[in-house]
Amino acid sequence: MPECREAQAQPSPSPSPSTITIDAPGAGTVAGQVPLPQGTFPYAIKRDWDDRGTFPGRKQCITRFRPLSGRSSSSRSDAPGAGTGAFQGTQGFAINSEGAIVGKMIDAGHLPHGMLRASDGTITTFDVPGAGTGADQGSLATNIGPAGVIAGIYLDANDVVHSFLRAPDGAITVIDVPEAGTGAFQGTSVCGVDCLNPEGAIVGFFTDANNVNHAFLRASDGALTTFDAPGAGIGAGQGTLAVGINLAGVIGGLYLDPNNVYHGFVRAPDGTMTVVDVPGAGTGPSLGTLPSSIDSQGAITGNYLAANNVTHGFLRDELGTITTFDVPAAGTASGRGTTPASNNASNAITGWYTDASGLYHGFLRTE
């Protein structure tokens, strides 16, 4: 049952954060990147009731959270029809407040299908009309709202990327930004985990004919807005990517500048953008600040890459204060470190870390 308490105008002091490690039963134990990283990768954390917004004097009901890949008593779910070979199987990407999970099922032919695991454990797979049927094409669900609305992407037979919204009754709406390119791996991509808010607004990015990325916002009424962060590069592979939107319409994201350095940003509902650079982030190519998630209060989490190519976690609260952190067991050599994936309004953060040997483990950081 949810625990309800009266919201206070002034927040009380937070206890010191604690971190636990998550290793899913059956996870691989071979370190390194080849042929594919093994270990445990939590992508999303269950949202609190106050994701719909809380204000002084109102009640907020907080439910217990859990990472997508489970708690200390993780359970395993395999979608019917999932392949059992390398690079096949079932993968979850997002979880809603009711505990429903969405992701993809990859069959024996390496074709992805959208996957929904309801809170009662029932698994449904689906394909977006127009999705390609070749290997690595198909459908992928990346977000789920509190009412069961699903957002995701699919690749068509020409490898062009399209986004979609799937209603609870299964009806699908295709989303294409008009300025998106129509070549292979160009197109419109809703981002993952936090990119569908409770009102039905979605964010993501589109890749144009020159392979430059631009962010987009699609309001619940279907109106499209595109935008670029100040300072974003205009070369191939550069540009602006949204990574999340909350109920208030605040958007978090990142951009790659002309020198291929990453920077974060927060975009207010009126379009005002604030650049986020974590102190200590590297300033060379492929280094910098990479937000990954935004909560209902406007706090963002993500990782930053230091000059030595070690990854560290950060949390930037709604007032702009930045806290950096590392999972104690994370490796400290190049290519190792801590990678937060998702946060919620209880200041809980989940993600993964790479240990000194190169093996991946999940983590849950709570206050």
Side-chain angles (χ1 to χ4, degrees):
M1 294 292 293
E3 174 187 335
C4 299
R5 67 171 184 269
E6 192 71 15
Q8 302 295 315
Q10 297 296 324
S12 58
S14 298
S16 298
S18 62
T19 303
I20 62 171
T21 293
I22 304 164
D23 289 306
T29 58
V30 177
Q33 298 283 335
V34 180
L36 189 71
Q38 294 186 6
T40 301
F41 300 86
Y43 283 103
I45 191 165
K46 188 175 180 180
R47 293 305 190 185
D48 291 339
W49 282 100
D50 63 343
D51 266 2
R52 291 183 177 271
T54 58
F55 303 90
R58 296 188 184 179
K59 287 187 177 181
Q60 56 179 339
C61 298
I62 299 177
T63 57
R64 304 308 180 199
F65 46 78
R66 68 183 180 203
L68 178 60
S69 295
R71 297 169 286 192
S72 57
S73 58
S74 304
S75 61
R76 174 175 171 174
S77 296
D78 292 310
T84 58
F87 314 113
Q88 298 170 3
T90 306
Q91 187 172 9
F93 285 112
I95 185 170
N96 70 4
S97 56
E98 287 79 35
I101 296 170
V102 292
K104 66 179 178 180
M105 177 273 283
I106 305 176
D107 66 23
H110 295 277
L111 177 64
H113 308 265
M115 184 273 297
L116 166 64
R117 182 186 186 273
S119 56
D120 64 1
T122 303
I123 295 177
T124 302
T125 59
F126 62 90
D127 297 296
V128 178
T133 57
D136 301 320
Q137 294 176 347
S139 307
L140 164 62
T142 58
N143 297 264
I144 182 167
V149 177
I150 296 170
I153 63 173
Y154 69 94
L155 267 68
D156 66 21
N158 297 311
D159 292 319
V160 180
V161 185
H162 309 266
S163 293
F164 70 88
L165 277 174
R166 182 181 186 269
D169 64 3
I172 290 177
T173 301
V174 174
I175 300 166
D176 287 309
V177 176
E179 300 92 337
T182 57
F185 308 111
Q186 297 173 353
T188 303
S189 300
V190 59
C191 50
V193 182
D194 299 323
C195 299
L196 167 67
N197 77 6
E199 286 191 339
I202 66 170
V203 293
F205 66 93
F206 68 94
T207 306
D208 66 23
N210 296 312
N211 292 310
V212 181
N213 299 310
H214 311 267
F216 77 87
L217 162 65
R218 182 185 186 271
S220 56
D221 63 2
L224 280 166
T225 302
T226 63
F227 60 92
D228 295 296
I234 58 173
Q238 297 174 351
T240 305
L241 298 85
V243 300
I245 182 171
N246 65 14
L247 181 60
V250 181
I251 298 170
L254 58 91
Y255 67 93
L256 198 61
D257 71 18
N259 297 312
N260 293 312
V261 180
Y262 288 100
H263 309 266
F265 71 82
V266 176
R267 182 182 187 271
D270 65 1
T272 303
M273 299 185 74
T274 302
V275 174
V276 178
D277 285 312
V278 176
T283 57
S286 301
L287 304 176
T289 301
L290 295 89
S292 60
S293 178
I294 186 168
D295 73 11
S296 62
Q297 308 304 309
I300 61 173
T301 193
N303 70 83
Y304 68 96
L305 285 157
N308 59 1
N309 201 40
V310 177
T311 304
H312 308 271
F314 78 88
L315 175 68
R316 179 189 186 273
D317 69 20
E318 63 273 19
L319 301 178
T321 302
I322 294 175
T323 303
T324 61
F325 62 92
D326 295 293
V327 175
T332 57
S334 176
R336 308 287 191 261
T338 301
T339 304
S342 184
N343 63 319
N344 70 10
S346 296
N347 287 328
I349 300 171
T350 193
W352 58 87
Y353 69 92
T354 316
D355 66 22
S357 71
L359 183 63
Y360 290 80
H361 311 265
F363 75 86
L364 174 64
R365 181 182 187 268
T366 58
E367 294 187 356

